[in-house]
Amino acid sequence: KLKRENKFIALDISKEALVVAKQNAKTHKVGGGIEFINSNFLDGINGNFKFKSRNSKILILANLSYLSEKIYAASSKDIQKYEPKSALISGQLGLAHYKTLLEQIRLLTDNGKLRFTIFFEFGSEQKKAIQKLVGESFPDAKTACYKDLANMWRLCQISFI
């Protein structure tokens, strides 16, 4: 159950994805506690005064596009048929979306002065590149990577607590 003092915001560039997310939230009886915003990355909330309080704790869960063109071309035909290409492919070897998000998070958190934790999925072959990118963006943050159930590197956690 969502606590009233918590603020949840769901952002997506796809209006169709937001419709599905709203339906899912309603089905699971958490819809009243979530604000849904059509936004490219964090554009819909950056500059928002509500996040400037030093008492804020920000949790960001991101499911970004992270496939390079090469990896997408080698993916299964089912993935190519049923998943929107824009939801899968990212430029710069699959890292362009991460670069954009991390820059926006840096602005949102006033260069890490606010407390935040970020979780995002990445391709197992991207672990070293992700760690380098995160280190360049937030050199003082605590960073950890975790393996998925198939024992592949899959999840990154970045924390400023």
Side-chain angles (χ1 to χ4, degrees), residues 11 39-47 60 101 104-106 108:
L11 306 170
S39 176
N40 188 24
F41 295 98
L42 302 179
D43 290 344
I45 61 171
N46 255 337
I60 297 173
L101 180 67
Q104 288 188 347
I105 290 170
R106 193 181 60 72
L108 176 73

Side-chain angles (χ1 to χ4, degrees), residues 14-57:
S14 166
K15 290 180 181 178
E16 295 82 10
L18 286 172
V19 168
V20 173
K22 286 178 187 178
Q23 290 169 342
N24 287 340
K26 185 177 179 182
T27 298
H28 296 288
K29 298 179 175 61
V30 295
I34 304 171
E35 181 178 356
F36 296 88
I37 300 173
N38 181 235
S39 176
N40 188 24
F41 295 98
L42 302 179
D43 290 344
I45 61 171
N46 255 337
N48 188 325
F49 70 93
K50 295 175 191 172
F51 296 107
K52 298 303 177 191
S53 166
R54 296 286 180 242
N55 295 325
S56 294
K57 172 94 168 84

Side-chain angles (χ1 to χ4, degrees), residues 105-123:
I105 290 170
R106 193 181 60 72
L107 294 172
L108 176 73
T109 61
D110 196 15
N111 287 311
K113 292 178 186 166
L114 295 178
R115 300 177 304 153
F116 69 89
T117 300
I118 308 160
F119 289 95
F120 59 75
E121 181 182 13
F122 61 90

